[in-house]
């Protein structure tokens, strides 16, 4: 039995070390080295080229290197019967929470405005009204962000398809409760999975339901946001701005207006990343579960896409 790590942009050294420590019996290869293809039972993958995953005839499971699994589900060549497991890693979650808290605090406490005042040697205390935060997407990371922001004293609401309860968070469910959720969110954090149902969800219609002066933080996928609608609503001052970490095309093209729109902060998809030293445990547990015919943690429902 072997596992192939497929990732194009970073070295797999830390993964090899972490997996060797936890599962010394597991043979691990790094794409394009696969060893004998009919021994490959698992892939640990990020954005494999189409047909690569389908080229392993004895595959038993696909483990995503990231929390998102859209990179697997959009590959039409991947056999539909194979279990797909999303990454759940405490380090990844903690990093995402740190980024979201940073962006919420920077907006609420008006860091940009005070920096601009400093540049003009201007001693001016900004007005700091309370702000309510709304988290769209209450998966592993969304729940952790909601809990942390509630602990910081924010009135936090969450929105998800089914509205599973989260302690200390006012949860809204489904399309019906989306307007009420948006209309109370001064800061909206998007942590939705990318599925056919969530593409373009943040367009002029939904973003206009946010209160005047609201702020968007997108740490999910670029496809959730209709770029031109966001830029127009910032220009019209319906929205005060946005912090964006995910884009339709990455790297964000140099001529994209997000780079230069006042009020919009662009970061290069750095909100969170998986740490092999902690995430390897999830990988090994998922393999053990699938081998034992059990349900691995983080198993993706093919019908909903997350
Ligand atoms: C990153 O975007 C991830 O899905 O983990």
């Amino acid at each position: 039995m072997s596992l192939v790590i497929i990732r194009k942009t970073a070295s797999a050294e830390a993964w090899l070390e972490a997996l060797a420590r936890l599962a010394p019996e597991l043979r691990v290869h790094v794409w394009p080295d696969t060893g004998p293809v009919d021994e490959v039972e698992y892939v640990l993958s990020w954005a494999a080229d189409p047909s690569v995953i389908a080229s392993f005839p004895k595959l038993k499971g696909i483990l995503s290197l990231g929390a998102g699994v859209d990179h697997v589900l959009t590959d039409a060549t991947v056999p539909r019967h194979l279990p797909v497991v999303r990454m759940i890693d405490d380090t990844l979650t903690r990093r995402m929470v740190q980024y979201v808290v940073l962006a919420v605090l920077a907006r609420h406490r008006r860091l940009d405005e005070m920096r601009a005042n400093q540049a003009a040697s201007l001693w001016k205390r900004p007005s700091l009204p309370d702000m309510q935060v709304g988290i769209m997407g209450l998966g592993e990371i969304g729940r952790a962000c909601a809990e942390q922001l509630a602990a910081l004293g924010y009135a936090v609401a969450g929105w998800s398809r089914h509205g599973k309860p989260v302690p200390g968070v006012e949860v809204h469910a489904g399309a019906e409760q989306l307007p009420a959720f948006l209309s109370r969110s001064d800061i909206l954090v998007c942590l939705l999975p990318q599925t056919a149902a969530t593409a373009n969800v943040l367009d002029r219609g939904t973003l206009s339901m946010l209160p005047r002066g609201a702020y968007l933080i997108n740490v999910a996928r670029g496809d959730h946001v209709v770029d031109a609608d966001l830029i127009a609503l910032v220009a019209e001052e319906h929205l005060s701005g946005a912090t964006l970490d995910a884009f339709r095309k990455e790297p964000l093209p140099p001529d994209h207006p997000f780079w230069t729109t006042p009020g919009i902060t662009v970061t290069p998809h750095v909100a969170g990343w998986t740490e092999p030293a902690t995430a390897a445990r999830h990988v090994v547990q998922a393999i053990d579960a699938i081998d034992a015919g059990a349900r691995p943690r983080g198993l993706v429902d093919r019908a909903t896409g997350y």
Side-chain angles (χ1 to χ4, degrees):
M1 188 244 264
S2 71
L3 171 141
V4 175
I5 299 174
I6 308 172
R7 69 198 309 222
K8 285 179 247 161
T9 52
S11 131
E13 210 49 46
W15 273 107
L16 291 171
E17 274 168 35
L19 289 169
R21 208 169 339 105
L22 279 183
E25 69 295 347
L26 183 66
R27 277 196 303 284
V28 183
H29 301 275
V30 181
W31 175 263
D33 168 34
T34 63
V37 282
D38 56 359
E39 284 181 12
V40 178
E41 293 187 348
Y42 294 94
V43 289
L44 176 58
S45 173
W46 184 259
D49 285 333
S51 305
V52 168
I53 293 176
S55 69
F56 302 109
K58 300 275 173 58
L59 207 60
K60 285 166 61 175
I62 301 161
L63 315 172
S64 170
L65 275 162
V69 291
D70 39 295
H71 61 105
V72 179
L73 302 189
T74 50
D75 178 351
T77 65
V78 170
R80 282 192 67 84
H81 70 276
L82 285 175
V84 178
V85 178
R86 84 176 72 84
M87 179 55 68
I88 300 175
D89 171 31
D90 288 347
T91 309
L92 169 67
T93 301
R94 193 169 61 246
R95 287 172 173 159
M96 293 292 293
V97 171
Q98 288 167 349
Y99 182 100
V100 168
V101 168
L102 172 75
V104 167
L105 288 174
R107 168 62 188 95
H108 177 213
R109 303 301 297 264
R110 297 183 173 245
L111 197 57
D112 287 351
E113 191 178 315
M114 290 193 287
R115 285 222 169 101
N117 289 344
Q118 179 181 349
S121 305
L122 190 61
W123 181 275
K124 185 174 168 215
R125 304 179 78 170
S127 70
L128 296 169
D130 283 347
M131 289 191 140
Q132 305 197 129
V133 182
I135 312 269
M136 269 185 118
L138 293 172
E140 205 73 31
I141 297 169
R143 285 199 306 274
C145 290
E147 282 163 13
Q148 199 65 51
L149 288 164
L152 283 172
Y154 288 100
V156 181
W159 179 85
S160 68
R161 225 160 113 123
H162 299 296
K164 211 166 105 193
V166 181
V169 177
E170 175 195 319
V171 175
H172 299 248
E176 210 170 281
Q177 293 179 18
L178 185 58
F181 163 77
L182 292 172
S183 66
R184 50 76 65 209
S185 297
D186 301 305
I187 299 179
L188 179 69
V189 181
C190 178
L191 274 159
L192 291 168
Q194 180 174 329
T195 68
T198 63
N200 302 319
V201 64
L202 298 174
D203 62 4
R204 176 173 276 277
T206 48
L207 291 172
S208 299
M209 291 179 200
L210 294 167
R212 195 167 177 81
Y215 191 83
L216 172 68
I217 298 168
N218 184 22
V219 278
R221 288 289 183 268
D223 281 11
H224 293 131
V225 177
V226 177
D227 297 1
D229 290 357
L230 171 60
I231 290 167
L233 286 163
V234 172
E236 292 161 25
E237 294 181 8
H238 181 75
L239 299 181
S240 56
T243 289
L244 307 174
D245 189 55
F247 304 91
R248 285 175 183 264
K249 187 163 177 355
E250 294 183 5
L252 184 66
D255 58 351
H256 195 289
F258 281 159
W259 287 111
T260 49
T261 302
I264 292 189
T265 296
V266 167
T267 59
H269 208 129
V270 288
W273 65 100
T274 304
E275 189 61 48
T278 48
R281 185 164 305 283
H282 176 68
V283 169
V284 172
Q285 284 170 348
I287 291 175
D288 288 348
I290 296 171
D291 279 347
R295 185 190 160 85
R297 185 164 174 240
L299 180 68
V300 171
D301 176 349
R302 287 283 188 135
T304 57
Y306 60 91

